[in-house]
DNA sequence: GATTTTACGTCAGTCATGTTGACATATATT
DNA sequence: AATATATGTCAACATGACTGACGTAAAATC
């Protein structure tokens, strides 16, 4: 394939490399979400429910506005999903102790069970990819993905991810 | 934060690491798609249109069924988006030469222009992340994301990505 | 040459998830 | 007492997915 582009245009290979990296991310993300989607279908939940369960599970007691800030959707969009999860007993709200306007969010036992079940397939997928790729590659994965996060709130996002 | 989990449970750190890797992918993908979304809004196109323009741009002359196979959506879903793009002059169809049932897809000049414009912001984002992370990290990124692709058709997908 | 299969298009209805805009209620803050 | 904030809710709408049914032209097969 020694065509004119790769001979004459030094930027061509770079552009091609970037395009491949973009598609790789597209396909990886597609398959990365396929497992959870499959499981959640049995519960008649969608990806929006998954996100709520995931983030509430990782941040027990978080408020509605914190969740809105992470998901970057409107409160009306969230509310449909959230009230559904509450009604069906996967998430519960408690009034904030300091600020009683706040509704702090928790997974119920059933919610935690679903979170585990869904999270497991995803963790196994990632664990396999990590194992195959090796430790050095994992460090590179982290570096590059970190660099893809919007610079203006990268620190906020990272602290949210890393906070245990 | 030396709590009981990290002392007693050797799997805890690993699970935590995996959960962080999962969130990292979530946030990176969110910000990775934000740029294109912004531009396409001006054209009243959505992410579905973007995907069509992207893949047709990368595979000029591909058939409808090849596109369906990549996108993993129904032909009815595709058709709304595709016929919209054709009507508005961003994509064109030509009858297949060998098999005249096929409709081969091409970007028009206008389509190519939009593809370039949208692709550029995404390539710049990835290029910055690559530059900051360094070549070794990029190799790791590729390895891990490759491992995330569904094993059963990984080879097919990879050959599609790499075919220049 | 007739039949069947394939590639594609299309109509109709539904669902999930996002949006905007308006308004209500309880609690905190000033 | 007035205002701001956190949340909830109603209504209308857009996008992009889905299923199911049916049509048409061209290729493949019997």
């Amino acid at each position: 394939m020694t065509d004119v582009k790769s001979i004459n245009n030094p930027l061509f290979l770079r552009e091609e490399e970037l395009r491949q990296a973009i598609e790789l991310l597209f396909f990886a993300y597609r398959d990365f979400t396929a497992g959870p989607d499959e499981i959640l279908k049995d519960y008649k939940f969608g990806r929006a429910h998954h996100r709520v369960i995931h983030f509430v599970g990782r941040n027990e007691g978080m408020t509605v506005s914190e969740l809105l800030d992470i998901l970057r959707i409107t409160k009306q969009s969230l509310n449909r999903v959230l009230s559904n999860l509450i009604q069906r007993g996967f998430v519960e709200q408690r009034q904030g102790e300091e600020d009683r306007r706040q509704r702090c969010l928790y997974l119920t036992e059933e919610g935690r069970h679903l979170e585990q079940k869904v999270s497991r397939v995803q963790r196994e997928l990632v664990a396999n990819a990590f194992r195959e790729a090796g430790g050095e590659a994992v460090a590179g994965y982290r570096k590059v993905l970190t660099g893809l996060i919007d610079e203006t709130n990268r620190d906020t996002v990272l602290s949210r991810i890393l906070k245990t």
Side-chain angles (χ1 to χ4, degrees), chain A:
Chain A
M1 302 309 162
T2 320
D3 74 1
V4 95
K5 286 177 183 169
S6 43
I7 293 171
N8 294 338
N9 186 350
L11 290 177
F12 173 70
L13 274 180
R14 178 138 185 81
E15 171 168 337
E16 181 56 27
E17 182 195 358
L18 292 172
R19 286 181 182 274
Q20 288 172 5
I22 287 168
E23 286 200 10
L24 194 54
L25 187 49
F26 170 79
F27 287 112
Y29 196 80
R30 184 188 70 175
D31 293 350
F32 166 74
T33 51
D37 284 357
E38 197 62 26
I39 294 175
L40 289 156
K41 218 162 49 177
D42 297 341
Y43 293 78
K44 310 226 172 183
F45 287 143
R47 209 172 282 184
H49 301 86
H50 179 200
R51 290 195 283 259
V52 171
I53 287 178
H54 171 89
F55 285 108
V56 172
R58 290 264 301 163
N59 305 282
E60 295 266 348
M62 77 189 307
T63 66
V64 170
S65 46
E66 281 169 342
L67 186 53
L68 283 172
D69 186 48
I70 290 177
L71 298 178
R72 300 238 181 113
I73 58 176
T74 59
K75 61 177 177 173
Q76 295 93 324
S77 284
L78 174 59
N79 209 260
R80 213 173 9 206
V81 174
L82 184 56
S83 52
N84 188 341
L85 285 166
I86 291 168
Q87 272 180 3
R88 291 180 50 191
F90 290 84
V91 172
E92 67 177 7
Q93 289 180 317
R94 295 179 214 149
Q95 201 168 43
E97 293 188 355
E98 291 165 30
D99 185 336
R100 297 192 307 174
R101 289 171 304 182
Q102 296 179 335
R103 299 300 130 93
C104 301
L105 303 171
Y106 300 85
L107 294 183
T108 62
E109 202 170 325
E110 198 178 2
R112 217 179 314 279
H113 180 257
L114 178 55
E115 195 283 328
Q116 274 296 320
K117 184 172 169 183
V118 170
S119 159
R120 187 174 306 118
V121 298
Q122 219 161 32
R123 276 182 280 128
E124 277 167 8
L125 181 71
V126 174
N128 280 333
F130 275 14
R131 192 173 335 106
E132 284 171 24
E136 215 170 281
V138 170
Y141 165 89
R142 284 211 202 90
K143 262 194 198 171
V144 172
L145 288 205
T146 301
L148 288 177
I149 294 174
D150 180 18
E151 226 173 346
T152 55
N153 33 36
R154 188 177 297 167
D155 293 347
T156 318
V157 171
L158 284 180
S159 68
R160 205 138 51 190
I161 294 176
L162 300 174
K163 151 178 102 189
T164 306

